[in-house]
Amino acid sequence: MIIAKSEERRVGRTGTTRRHALMAAGATAAGLLTACTSGGSANGVLSPDAAARAARAARALRRRAAGDSAELLRRYDAVLARHADRAGLLTPLRAAVALHVEALTLRTTDPSPEASSGSPDSSTGGSTGGNTDKVPEKPSATLAGAPAVSPEPVEALKELAAAERRTSDAHTASLVSAAPELARLLASVAAANAVHAYLLTEGARS
C-alpha cells in the first residue's frame, strides 16, 4: 500500500510529511482539547444563558465544518464525472469524505431549548442548505454548478489534493473553538484529509 512507504516522503508542494501531518493533528487535538475544557464558571457549571450561547456556537461550527466537507465532496463528484478512469483511486477517498459529511451533519445530544423545540438553528443540514440528511453514496449524475475541473487528469488530481489540504486546514483551525467531542471529530477528519492529499499527490505522479 502507498501509505506504508517511507515516512519521509513529501506531500505535494507544502512539504508536509505524512508522519508530520498525523502527529501534528494528534498533538494539536490533545492540546486544544485540554484548552476546550477549561472554560465556564468557577465551578465548571455554565449559566443557562452561557449554555445556550455555547450550544448555538457549537451548532454553527458544526454546520460550517459540514459545509466545508460537503464542498470537498462536490469536487470529488466533479472530478469523477470528468475523469472516470481515475475511479480506482478516487472512489474510496470520496466514500470517506461522504462519511465525514454525514458525521459532521448528524447532531449530537443537545439539551438546549432550541434543539428540543425544532428551531431552524438546530437543523442537521449543515451549511449546504439543510438537506444533507442523506449523503449520496455515489457521485451525482447531474453536476449543475459543479466546481471547474482541469481536463488533464494529473492536474485534476493535484487540484483535488489542494482542496483536501484546504479542508484539513479549515477543520484544524476550527479546533480552537470546538467543544471536546466535536474537536475530536474535527481532528480525526482533518488527519484523514491530510492523508487523502498525500494519496492524491502520489496518484498524480503515477
Side-chain angles (χ1 to χ4, degrees), residues 114-129:
E114 291 166 354
S116 59
S117 65
S119 165
D121 193 40
S122 64
S123 168
T124 62
S127 63
T128 56

Side-chain angles (χ1 to χ4, degrees), residues 3-91:
I3 203 166
K5 292 183 178 179
S6 168
E7 296 289 348
E8 297 306 319
R9 295 291 295 275
R10 312 299 283 184
V11 180
R13 289 177 294 179
T14 63
T16 304
T17 63
R18 181 172 68 256
R19 172 183 289 176
H20 181 271
L22 296 176
M23 290 179 65
T28 301
L32 291 175
L33 285 177
T34 300
C36 285
T37 60
S38 62
S41 62
N43 61 2
V45 178
L46 293 175
S47 68
D49 286 345
R53 287 195 299 272
R56 287 195 296 270
R59 290 194 295 274
L61 180 59
R62 181 178 283 267
R63 285 196 300 271
R64 187 165 63 248
D68 290 338
S69 286
E71 175 60 24
L72 179 60
L73 187 65
R74 291 181 67 245
R75 290 183 178 276
Y76 268 95
D77 287 350
V79 176
L80 276 164
R82 185 148 194 175
H83 300 291
D85 58 319
R86 298 303 179 109
L89 170 64
L90 297 178
T91 299

Side-chain angles (χ1 to χ4, degrees), residues 166-180:
R166 288 194 300 271
T167 306
S168 178
D169 290 345
H171 290 328
T172 300
S174 296
L175 288 171
V176 71
S177 55

Side-chain angles (χ1 to χ4, degrees), residues 116-202:
S116 59
S117 65
S119 165
D121 193 40
S122 64
S123 168
T124 62
S127 63
T128 56
N131 295 315
T132 57
D133 292 338
K134 179 63 176 176
V135 178
E137 295 180 359
K138 297 181 180 180
S140 173
T142 59
L143 292 170
V149 176
S150 171
E152 298 296 329
V154 170
E155 289 303 314
L157 291 181
K158 289 180 179 179
E159 292 168 357
L160 194 52
E164 284 275 15
R165 285 190 289 271
R166 288 194 300 271
T167 306
S168 178
D169 290 345
H171 290 328
T172 300
S174 296
L175 288 171
V176 71
S177 55
E181 181 181 358
L182 180 56
R184 285 191 292 271
L185 175 58
L186 289 171
S188 177
V189 172
N193 291 141
V195 173
H196 292 179
Y198 169 83
L199 294 172
L200 289 165
T201 301
E202 288 297 295

